[in-house]
Amino acid sequence: MSAPFEERSGVVPCGTPWGRWYQTLEEVFIEVRVPPGTRAKDVRCSLRSRHISLAVSGQELLQGKLFDSTVTDEGTWTLEDRQMIRIVLMKTNRDAGNCWTSLLENEYAADPWVQDQMQRKLTLERFQKENPGFDFSGAEISGNYSKGGPDFSSLEN
């Protein structure tokens, strides 16, 4: 079995003061730097459909209303090497047209260039999913790719 699309093609991260976030068609990944030696019992993380909060040792690191809805019981967090928390959220709307422009409703927005690259990546990921025999991980895209690109589903074979 081949590696997932994002592993082959890389990610388009959006940097933040606390770390970074990035997305695929189906998921949003959040990586938060924490003090070295942090233990899981020091972490308080709440993941709800439209809300997230993360505190370490009583200090709030991330809190607010998410850009779009997620599947509550599919969200997870892990503490990696006792210095980074990785949060994975499953998007409710999993199509290429649902490119989050920011992590929270009014915070951590991707700059226009990063947003453009994210949308290109999601469109290529959509093409990969629709055409599993082809490898789009190194492909470039131009033209109409906003909102997930053109819809070819109605074309006859």
Side-chain angles (χ1 to χ4, degrees):
M1 177 163 212
S2 65
F5 182 78
E6 71 274 5
E7 286 181 23
R8 291 191 319 267
S9 61
V11 299
V12 179
C14 179
T16 66
W18 40 258
R20 69 183 192 161
W21 69 274
Y22 57 93
Q23 63 188 310
T24 66
L25 280 175
E26 298 184 348
E27 297 168 313
V28 174
F29 296 84
I30 305 166
E31 296 175 350
V32 181
R33 292 181 305 273
V34 295
T38 296
R39 297 170 304 182
K41 70 179 192 174
D42 300 328
V43 178
R44 295 288 172 260
C45 186
S46 171
L47 306 174
R48 298 198 312 253
S49 174
R50 287 293 307 262
H51 193 270
I52 186 172
S53 67
L54 174 66
V56 174
S57 300
Q59 182 178 357
E60 190 83 26
L61 299 178
L62 177 62
Q63 189 270 330
K65 188 172 183 182
L66 294 166
F67 178 79
D68 201 355
S69 65
T70 61
V71 181
T72 304
D73 57 356
E74 303 253 342
T76 61
W77 68 269
T78 55
L79 176 61
E80 299 179 7
D81 299 325
R82 297 180 74 174
Q83 60 188 359
M84 184 184 74
I85 295 173
R86 182 185 312 272
I87 300 170
V88 180
L89 305 172
M90 181 68 68
K91 292 179 178 179
T92 302
N93 180 359
R94 300 176 193 148
D95 64 56
N98 184 31
C99 184
W100 289 23
T101 57
S102 64
L103 179 61
L104 303 179
E105 270 193 349
N106 297 309
E107 283 187 276
Y108 312 119
D111 67 47
W113 185 85
V114 170
Q115 180 63 36
D116 180 68
Q117 296 304 306
M118 284 180 168
Q119 183 61 69
R120 287 175 189 241
K121 180 122 174 115
L122 294 186
T123 300
L124 285 171
E125 189 177 353
R126 185 195 111 205
F127 290 158
Q128 178 70 56
K129 200 171 196 177
E130 292 172 353
N131 302 281
F134 295 95
D135 182 4
F136 290 91
S137 61
E140 291 289 325
I141 190 168
S142 63
N144 180 16
Y145 57 86
S146 65
K147 299 294 182 194
D151 181 6
F152 299 118
S153 64
S154 62
L155 299 177
E156 294 289 327
N157 286 336

